[in-house]
Short mmCIF file of all heavy atoms in Angstrom, two decimals:
data_model
loop_
_atom_site.label_atom_id
_atom_site.label_comp_id
_atom_site.label_asym_id
_atom_site.label_seq_id
_atom_site.Cartn_x
_atom_site.Cartn_y
_atom_site.Cartn_z
N SER A 68 8.42 -4.83 -17.65
CA SER A 68 8.34 -6.13 -18.33
C SER A 68 7.87 -5.95 -19.77
O SER A 68 8.15 -6.79 -20.62
CB SER A 68 7.40 -7.07 -17.58
OG SER A 68 6.11 -6.51 -17.47
N ALA A 69 7.17 -4.85 -20.05
CA ALA A 69 6.73 -4.58 -21.42
C ALA A 69 7.92 -4.15 -22.29
O ALA A 69 8.03 -4.57 -23.45
CB ALA A 69 5.66 -3.48 -21.43
N SER A 70 8.81 -3.34 -21.74
CA SER A 70 9.96 -2.86 -22.50
C SER A 70 11.10 -3.86 -22.55
O SER A 70 11.80 -3.98 -23.57
CB SER A 70 10.47 -1.54 -21.90
OG SER A 70 9.48 -0.54 -21.94
N TRP A 71 11.31 -4.58 -21.43
CA TRP A 71 12.45 -5.51 -21.34
C TRP A 71 11.97 -6.84 -20.76
O TRP A 71 12.29 -7.20 -19.61
CB TRP A 71 13.54 -4.89 -20.44
CG TRP A 71 13.97 -3.54 -20.92
CD1 TRP A 71 14.71 -3.24 -22.03
CD2 TRP A 71 13.70 -2.27 -20.28
NE1 TRP A 71 14.91 -1.89 -22.13
CE2 TRP A 71 14.30 -1.26 -21.07
CE3 TRP A 71 13.00 -1.90 -19.13
CZ2 TRP A 71 14.22 0.09 -20.75
CZ3 TRP A 71 12.93 -0.55 -18.81
CH2 TRP A 71 13.52 0.43 -19.60
N PRO A 72 11.20 -7.60 -21.53
CA PRO A 72 10.57 -8.82 -20.99
C PRO A 72 11.56 -9.89 -20.56
O PRO A 72 11.35 -10.56 -19.54
CB PRO A 72 9.70 -9.32 -22.15
CG PRO A 72 10.31 -8.72 -23.38
CD PRO A 72 10.85 -7.38 -22.95
N HIS A 73 12.65 -10.07 -21.31
CA HIS A 73 13.63 -11.10 -20.95
C HIS A 73 14.35 -10.73 -19.65
O HIS A 73 14.58 -11.59 -18.79
CB HIS A 73 14.65 -11.29 -22.08
CG HIS A 73 14.03 -11.52 -23.42
ND1 HIS A 73 13.24 -12.62 -23.69
CD2 HIS A 73 14.06 -10.79 -24.56
CE1 HIS A 73 12.83 -12.57 -24.94
NE2 HIS A 73 13.31 -11.46 -25.48
N LEU A 74 14.66 -9.46 -19.52
CA LEU A 74 15.35 -9.00 -18.32
C LEU A 74 14.43 -9.08 -17.10
O LEU A 74 14.86 -9.48 -16.02
CB LEU A 74 15.83 -7.56 -18.54
CG LEU A 74 16.69 -6.93 -17.45
CD1 LEU A 74 17.93 -7.77 -17.18
CD2 LEU A 74 17.08 -5.51 -17.84
N ALA A 75 13.17 -8.71 -17.27
CA ALA A 75 12.23 -8.77 -16.15
C ALA A 75 12.02 -10.21 -15.69
O ALA A 75 11.94 -10.48 -14.48
CB ALA A 75 10.90 -8.14 -16.55
N ALA A 76 11.95 -11.15 -16.64
CA ALA A 76 11.80 -12.56 -16.28
C ALA A 76 13.05 -13.07 -15.56
O ALA A 76 12.96 -13.84 -14.59
CB ALA A 76 11.53 -13.39 -17.53
N TRP A 77 14.22 -12.64 -16.04
CA TRP A 77 15.48 -13.01 -15.36
C TRP A 77 15.47 -12.50 -13.93
O TRP A 77 15.84 -13.23 -13.00
CB TRP A 77 16.65 -12.41 -16.14
CG TRP A 77 17.94 -12.36 -15.39
CD1 TRP A 77 18.88 -13.35 -15.31
CD2 TRP A 77 18.45 -11.26 -14.60
NE1 TRP A 77 19.94 -12.93 -14.53
CE2 TRP A 77 19.71 -11.65 -14.09
CE3 TRP A 77 17.97 -9.99 -14.30
CZ2 TRP A 77 20.47 -10.82 -13.28
CZ3 TRP A 77 18.73 -9.16 -13.49
CH2 TRP A 77 19.96 -9.57 -12.99
N ARG A 78 15.05 -11.26 -13.72
CA ARG A 78 15.06 -10.68 -12.38
C ARG A 78 14.19 -11.48 -11.42
O ARG A 78 14.56 -11.72 -10.28
CB ARG A 78 14.60 -9.22 -12.44
CG ARG A 78 14.58 -8.56 -11.06
CD ARG A 78 14.35 -7.08 -11.15
NE ARG A 78 13.02 -6.74 -11.65
CZ ARG A 78 12.58 -5.49 -11.79
NH1 ARG A 78 13.37 -4.48 -11.50
NH2 ARG A 78 11.37 -5.26 -12.24
N LEU A 79 13.03 -11.91 -11.88
CA LEU A 79 12.15 -12.70 -11.02
C LEU A 79 12.79 -14.05 -10.67
O LEU A 79 12.66 -14.53 -9.55
CB LEU A 79 10.80 -12.91 -11.69
CG LEU A 79 9.91 -11.67 -11.76
CD1 LEU A 79 8.61 -11.99 -12.50
CD2 LEU A 79 9.60 -11.14 -10.37
N ARG A 80 13.49 -14.65 -11.65
CA ARG A 80 14.17 -15.92 -11.36
C ARG A 80 15.22 -15.74 -10.28
O ARG A 80 15.34 -16.56 -9.36
CB ARG A 80 14.82 -16.48 -12.64
CG ARG A 80 13.88 -17.13 -13.61
CD ARG A 80 14.63 -17.94 -14.66
NE ARG A 80 15.46 -17.09 -15.51
CZ ARG A 80 15.01 -16.48 -16.61
NH1 ARG A 80 13.74 -16.59 -16.97
NH2 ARG A 80 15.83 -15.75 -17.35
N ILE A 81 16.01 -14.68 -10.41
CA ILE A 81 17.08 -14.45 -9.43
C ILE A 81 16.48 -14.13 -8.06
O ILE A 81 16.95 -14.60 -7.02
CB ILE A 81 18.02 -13.32 -9.88
CG1 ILE A 81 18.59 -13.62 -11.27
CG2 ILE A 81 19.15 -13.12 -8.87
CD1 ILE A 81 19.34 -14.93 -11.39
N ALA A 82 15.42 -13.32 -8.04
CA ALA A 82 14.81 -12.89 -6.78
C ALA A 82 14.23 -14.06 -6.00
O ALA A 82 14.05 -13.96 -4.79
CB ALA A 82 13.72 -11.85 -7.05
N GLN A 83 13.92 -15.16 -6.68
CA GLN A 83 13.33 -16.32 -6.01
C GLN A 83 14.37 -17.24 -5.38
O GLN A 83 14.00 -18.17 -4.65
CB GLN A 83 12.48 -17.10 -7.00
CG GLN A 83 11.22 -16.34 -7.42
CD GLN A 83 10.53 -16.96 -8.62
OE1 GLN A 83 11.00 -17.96 -9.18
NE2 GLN A 83 9.42 -16.38 -9.04
N ARG A 84 15.64 -17.00 -5.62
CA ARG A 84 16.67 -17.85 -5.04
C ARG A 84 16.75 -17.61 -3.54
O ARG A 84 16.72 -16.46 -3.08
CB ARG A 84 18.03 -17.60 -5.71
CG ARG A 84 18.07 -17.95 -7.19
CD ARG A 84 19.47 -17.82 -7.74
NE ARG A 84 20.35 -18.84 -7.18
CZ ARG A 84 20.54 -20.05 -7.72
NH1 ARG A 84 19.89 -20.42 -8.82
NH2 ARG A 84 21.37 -20.91 -7.15
N ARG A 85 16.91 -18.68 -2.78
CA ARG A 85 16.89 -18.57 -1.32
C ARG A 85 18.00 -17.66 -0.80
O ARG A 85 17.77 -16.83 0.09
CB ARG A 85 17.01 -19.97 -0.70
CG ARG A 85 16.97 -19.96 0.82
CD ARG A 85 17.00 -21.37 1.36
NE ARG A 85 15.84 -22.15 0.92
CZ ARG A 85 15.63 -23.42 1.24
NH1 ARG A 85 16.51 -24.08 1.99
NH2 ARG A 85 14.56 -24.05 0.81
N ALA A 86 19.20 -17.80 -1.34
CA ALA A 86 20.32 -16.98 -0.87
C ALA A 86 20.08 -15.51 -1.16
O ALA A 86 20.43 -14.63 -0.36
CB ALA A 86 21.62 -17.44 -1.53
N VAL A 87 19.47 -15.22 -2.30
CA VAL A 87 19.19 -13.83 -2.67
C VAL A 87 18.12 -13.26 -1.75
O VAL A 87 18.26 -12.15 -1.22
CB VAL A 87 18.75 -13.75 -4.14
CG1 VAL A 87 18.31 -12.33 -4.50
CG2 VAL A 87 19.90 -14.19 -5.05
N ARG A 88 17.03 -14.02 -1.52
CA ARG A 88 15.96 -13.53 -0.66
C ARG A 88 16.46 -13.27 0.75
O ARG A 88 16.05 -12.31 1.40
CB ARG A 88 14.82 -14.56 -0.60
CG ARG A 88 14.06 -14.78 -1.86
CD ARG A 88 13.37 -13.57 -2.41
NE ARG A 88 12.72 -12.71 -1.45
CZ ARG A 88 11.92 -11.70 -1.79
NH1 ARG A 88 11.65 -11.50 -3.07
NH2 ARG A 88 11.38 -10.93 -0.90
N ARG A 89 17.36 -14.11 1.21
CA ARG A 89 17.88 -13.95 2.57
C ARG A 89 18.53 -12.59 2.75
O ARG A 89 18.40 -11.94 3.80
CB ARG A 89 18.88 -15.07 2.86
CG ARG A 89 19.44 -15.09 4.25
CD ARG A 89 20.25 -16.35 4.47
NE ARG A 89 20.86 -16.38 5.79
CZ ARG A 89 21.57 -17.40 6.26
NH1 ARG A 89 21.76 -18.47 5.49
NH2 ARG A 89 22.10 -17.36 7.47
N VAL A 90 19.22 -12.13 1.73
CA VAL A 90 19.93 -10.86 1.81
C VAL A 90 19.00 -9.68 1.52
O VAL A 90 18.98 -8.69 2.26
CB VAL A 90 21.13 -10.86 0.85
CG1 VAL A 90 21.80 -9.49 0.81
CG2 VAL A 90 22.14 -11.92 1.29
N ILE A 91 18.21 -9.77 0.45
CA ILE A 91 17.39 -8.60 0.11
C ILE A 91 16.21 -8.44 1.07
O ILE A 91 15.75 -7.32 1.29
CB ILE A 91 16.91 -8.62 -1.35
CG1 ILE A 91 15.97 -9.78 -1.64
CG2 ILE A 91 18.10 -8.60 -2.30
CD1 ILE A 91 15.29 -9.66 -3.00
N ASP A 92 15.74 -9.53 1.69
CA ASP A 92 14.66 -9.37 2.67
C ASP A 92 15.14 -8.54 3.86
O ASP A 92 14.40 -7.69 4.37
CB ASP A 92 14.16 -10.73 3.14
CG ASP A 92 13.23 -11.40 2.13
OD1 ASP A 92 12.87 -10.74 1.13
OD2 ASP A 92 12.88 -12.58 2.33
N ALA A 93 16.38 -8.78 4.30
CA ALA A 93 16.93 -7.98 5.40
C ALA A 93 17.08 -6.52 4.97
O ALA A 93 16.81 -5.60 5.75
CB ALA A 93 18.27 -8.55 5.83
N MET A 94 17.49 -6.31 3.73
CA MET A 94 17.65 -4.94 3.22
C MET A 94 16.29 -4.24 3.11
O MET A 94 16.15 -3.06 3.45
CB MET A 94 18.35 -4.98 1.86
CG MET A 94 18.82 -3.63 1.36
SD MET A 94 19.84 -3.79 -0.15
CE MET A 94 21.37 -4.40 0.57
N ILE A 95 15.28 -4.98 2.66
CA ILE A 95 13.94 -4.42 2.55
C ILE A 95 13.39 -4.06 3.93
O ILE A 95 12.77 -3.00 4.11
CB ILE A 95 13.02 -5.42 1.83
CG1 ILE A 95 13.40 -5.50 0.35
CG2 ILE A 95 11.55 -5.04 1.98
CD1 ILE A 95 12.79 -6.69 -0.37
N ASP A 96 13.61 -4.93 4.91
CA ASP A 96 13.16 -4.62 6.27
C ASP A 96 13.81 -3.34 6.77
O ASP A 96 13.15 -2.51 7.42
CB ASP A 96 13.50 -5.78 7.21
CG ASP A 96 12.61 -7.00 6.99
OD1 ASP A 96 11.56 -6.86 6.34
OD2 ASP A 96 12.98 -8.09 7.47
N PHE A 97 15.09 -3.16 6.48
CA PHE A 97 15.78 -1.95 6.92
C PHE A 97 15.18 -0.72 6.23
O PHE A 97 14.94 0.31 6.87
CB PHE A 97 17.27 -2.05 6.61
CG PHE A 97 18.07 -0.87 7.08
CD1 PHE A 97 18.58 -0.83 8.36
CD2 PHE A 97 18.30 0.22 6.24
CE1 PHE A 97 19.31 0.27 8.81
CE2 PHE A 97 19.02 1.32 6.69
CZ PHE A 97 19.52 1.34 7.97
N LEU A 98 14.93 -0.82 4.93
CA LEU A 98 14.37 0.31 4.18
C LEU A 98 12.99 0.67 4.70
O LEU A 98 12.68 1.86 4.90
CB LEU A 98 14.30 -0.04 2.69
CG LEU A 98 15.64 -0.08 1.95
CD1 LEU A 98 15.46 -0.74 0.59
CD2 LEU A 98 16.19 1.33 1.79
N ARG A 99 12.16 -0.32 4.93
CA ARG A 99 10.82 -0.05 5.42
C ARG A 99 10.85 0.55 6.81
O ARG A 99 10.07 1.45 7.13
CB ARG A 99 10.00 -1.33 5.40
CG ARG A 99 9.59 -1.74 3.98
CD ARG A 99 8.81 -3.03 3.96
NE ARG A 99 8.31 -3.32 2.61
CZ ARG A 99 8.03 -4.52 2.15
NH1 ARG A 99 8.19 -5.58 2.93
NH2 ARG A 99 7.57 -4.68 0.91
N GLY A 100 11.78 0.08 7.64
CA GLY A 100 11.91 0.64 8.98
C GLY A 100 12.33 2.09 8.97
O GLY A 100 12.02 2.85 9.89
N ALA A 101 13.04 2.49 7.90
CA ALA A 101 13.48 3.87 7.76
C ALA A 101 12.53 4.68 6.87
O ALA A 101 12.84 5.81 6.50
CB ALA A 101 14.89 3.91 7.17
N SER A 102 11.37 4.08 6.53
CA SER A 102 10.36 4.74 5.66
C SER A 102 10.96 5.15 4.32
O SER A 102 10.68 6.24 3.80
CB SER A 102 9.75 5.95 6.38
OG SER A 102 9.12 5.55 7.58
N ARG A 103 11.77 4.26 3.75
CA ARG A 103 12.40 4.50 2.46
C ARG A 103 11.76 3.61 1.40
O ARG A 103 11.25 2.53 1.72
CB ARG A 103 13.90 4.23 2.55
CG ARG A 103 14.64 5.19 3.47
CD ARG A 103 14.69 6.58 2.88
NE ARG A 103 15.23 7.57 3.79
CZ ARG A 103 16.11 8.51 3.42
NH1 ARG A 103 16.53 8.57 2.19
NH2 ARG A 103 16.52 9.40 4.31
N PRO A 104 11.81 4.03 0.12
CA PRO A 104 11.15 3.25 -0.93
C PRO A 104 11.78 1.88 -1.14
O PRO A 104 12.99 1.71 -0.98
CB PRO A 104 11.29 4.14 -2.17
CG PRO A 104 12.45 5.04 -1.87
CD PRO A 104 12.41 5.26 -0.39
N VAL A 105 10.91 0.95 -1.49
CA VAL A 105 11.32 -0.42 -1.81
C VAL A 105 10.90 -0.71 -3.23
O VAL A 105 9.79 -0.33 -3.64
CB VAL A 105 10.66 -1.42 -0.82
CG1 VAL A 105 10.95 -2.85 -1.23
CG2 VAL A 105 11.14 -1.16 0.60
N PRO A 106 11.73 -1.36 -4.04
CA PRO A 106 11.31 -1.70 -5.42
C PRO A 106 9.98 -2.45 -5.43
O PRO A 106 9.77 -3.36 -4.63
CB PRO A 106 12.47 -2.56 -5.93
CG PRO A 106 13.64 -2.13 -5.13
CD PRO A 106 13.10 -1.80 -3.77
N THR A 107 9.11 -2.09 -6.35
CA THR A 107 7.77 -2.66 -6.38
C THR A 107 7.77 -4.16 -6.66
O THR A 107 6.88 -4.87 -6.22
CB THR A 107 6.91 -1.96 -7.42
OG1 THR A 107 7.57 -2.02 -8.70
CG2 THR A 107 6.71 -0.49 -7.05
#
């Protein structure tokens, strides 16, 4: 967010959308179940 503040703010806006969360939450659950890294 220090290097690309506009892009980081955009990413948070998109990540808060219900349709987006529905998909990435399932992906995150799969990654965690496989002990794989998840974006911070």
